[in-house]
Amino acid sequence: PQAAAEHLVQAAAQGAACVWVRNAVDEAIAAVADLRGRGVAADLLHARFALTDRKRHEAAVLAAFGKDRAARPGRVLVATQVVESSLDLDFDVMVSDLAPMAALIQRAGRLWRHMQERPAGDRPVPAPVLHVVSPEPGEAVAPDWAAAELGQGVHVYPRDALWRTARKLFAAGEIRAPEGLRDLIEAAHADDPLPSALEAAALRAAGAAQAQKAHGAQNVVGWDQGYRLGAGGAGDAEYPTRLGQPTRTLVLMRPDGAPWAGGGWSVDSCQLSEVSASKARLDRLPLPAAPRPRPARLADRDAQLRDGGRGWRNLSWPRL
């Protein structure tokens, strides 16, 4: 990671639009702090922002690194997998944490993307190069292979997929698109023998995949039984729709009682103030046991219902 940071510092000094794609949010936050400490103009983008903040960050990122950006902004974007799709970005220099081959190819699609607006002669670097943060994929590896380089990001993808991708990349030395993509992806996902130190991790990953498959089959809604019976009695607010670690959605509030997004309480302001967080992390925090708020509009609704329900259609109900 230190070599990657030094490379980005030098590239930004030349005016390049740079990106470092990190596998984990914690590592992205640490990287952007490191770059800013070195005097680099660095931006951060990941999926843990409240929606209102994420929209603001995405707009700033598109202005700095999008199709119509300045020729030589001299900035670095540190981001997670959110840059792999949806955002139309164009970078001169790219550094990426090691990821499965298909993900690396997807990330590389943001490198020298808009050649009509910025031909090679106008770029501050001579060629589009994807720099991958990865250890050597030798045969004699330890069970914690790649942990020092990727930090928490090593747990995002199966360790065997990372090792096979690294082995193929080190052997090929390049990603040639489009003619070489199929061979790279197939080779990286081949069922070749693994170093003995990684076999246990591969078995755990295979077991987890089978468990997720069974979990998904268990959560399939039987529509012919009706939603309640078909969903096993789960409520629609908490019904599991994704595999992975449980998360909780929080609605952020300012100290003055206003929603984090600003303005008054409404459905829109609540949604813009939402942020998702790991349940395991939240359980470790000393959060206060706050009572459920009872907004004034809800009390007004009760009064109108006692009055015969007149005018209830005109009420705006906040989302709690």
Side-chain angles (χ1 to χ4, degrees):
Q2 288 302 313
E6 292 170 2
H7 176 71
L8 291 170
V9 169
Q10 296 174 3
Q14 298 172 1
C18 310
V19 63
W20 186 355
V21 187
R22 307 232 61 182
N23 292 344
V25 174
D26 290 348
E27 306 305 327
I29 294 173
V32 80
D34 180 31
L35 290 169
R36 289 172 178 171
R38 298 169 185 252
V40 177
D43 304 292
L44 178 65
L45 184 64
H46 55 70
R48 283 194 201 162
F49 288 112
L51 183 56
T52 184
D53 295 327
R54 180 169 174 176
K55 286 178 173 292
R56 175 170 52 83
H57 283 291
E58 287 182 349
V61 165
L62 283 171
F65 303 99
K67 180 178 180 180
D68 300 322
R69 67 170 172 84
R72 301 199 174 195
R75 300 185 68 88
V76 178
L77 172 65
V78 181
T80 57
Q81 295 88 336
V82 294
V83 298
E84 291 182 9
S85 59
S86 73
L87 294 178
D88 185 11
L89 304 176
D90 177 20
F91 299 101
D92 301 312
V93 173
M94 177 175 289
V95 174
S96 173
D97 285 357
L98 178 64
M101 187 68 75
L104 288 179
I105 292 172
Q106 186 72 18
R107 296 174 187 184
R110 271 60 188 163
L111 187 61
W112 285 40
R113 183 177 180 87
H114 291 293
M115 296 302 295
Q116 184 173 354
E117 286 75 13
R118 282 171 291 280
D122 294 342
R123 304 270 179 173
V125 292
V129 178
L130 171 62
H131 302 269
V132 180
V133 177
S134 170
E136 291 278 349
E139 295 296 334
V141 300
D144 62 348
W145 179 82
E149 292 79 10
L150 305 183
Q152 292 299 314
V154 77
H155 303 296
V156 175
Y157 302 105
R159 197 76 59 98
D160 58 319
L162 294 179
W163 183 84
R164 288 189 170 105
T165 295
R167 183 186 60 170
K168 183 59 181 178
L169 278 180
F170 274 73
E174 64 178 358
I175 297 177
R176 186 174 294 277
E179 63 273 13
L181 299 184
R182 184 182 183 89
D183 290 341
L184 285 175
I185 294 174
E186 289 181 350
H189 293 276
D191 193 19
D192 296 335
L194 289 168
S196 58
L198 298 183
E199 289 179 353
L203 289 175
R204 287 194 297 269
Q210 289 297 323
Q212 288 183 342
K213 183 177 180 180
H215 191 190
Q218 182 181 4
N219 289 337
V220 172
V221 175
W223 295 112
D224 57 333
Q225 304 175 38
Y227 179 81
R228 289 299 178 189
L229 291 177
D236 57 354
E238 297 183 356
Y239 189 78
T241 58
R242 293 186 179 183
L243 298 173
Q245 297 300 318
T247 60
R248 290 292 181 266
T249 299
L250 307 179
V251 178
L252 304 183
M253 179 187 295
R254 296 182 181 274
D256 61 1
W260 181 254
W265 285 101
S266 66
V267 172
D268 289 341
S269 66
C270 281
Q271 291 177 338
L272 289 171
S273 301
E274 287 182 351
V275 63
S276 294
S278 164
K279 179 181 181 299
R281 288 197 173 198
L282 291 176
D283 289 344
R284 294 195 297 266
L285 295 177
L287 298 177
R292 185 181 180 91
R294 184 175 177 81
R297 288 183 179 179
L298 196 57
D300 293 343
R301 184 205 63 171
D302 291 343
Q304 292 199 18
L305 288 177
R306 287 195 300 270
D307 193 33
R310 292 187 296 273
W312 67 272
R313 294 180 183 274
N314 296 324
L315 288 175
S316 175
W317 292 23
R319 178 181 177 182
L320 302 180

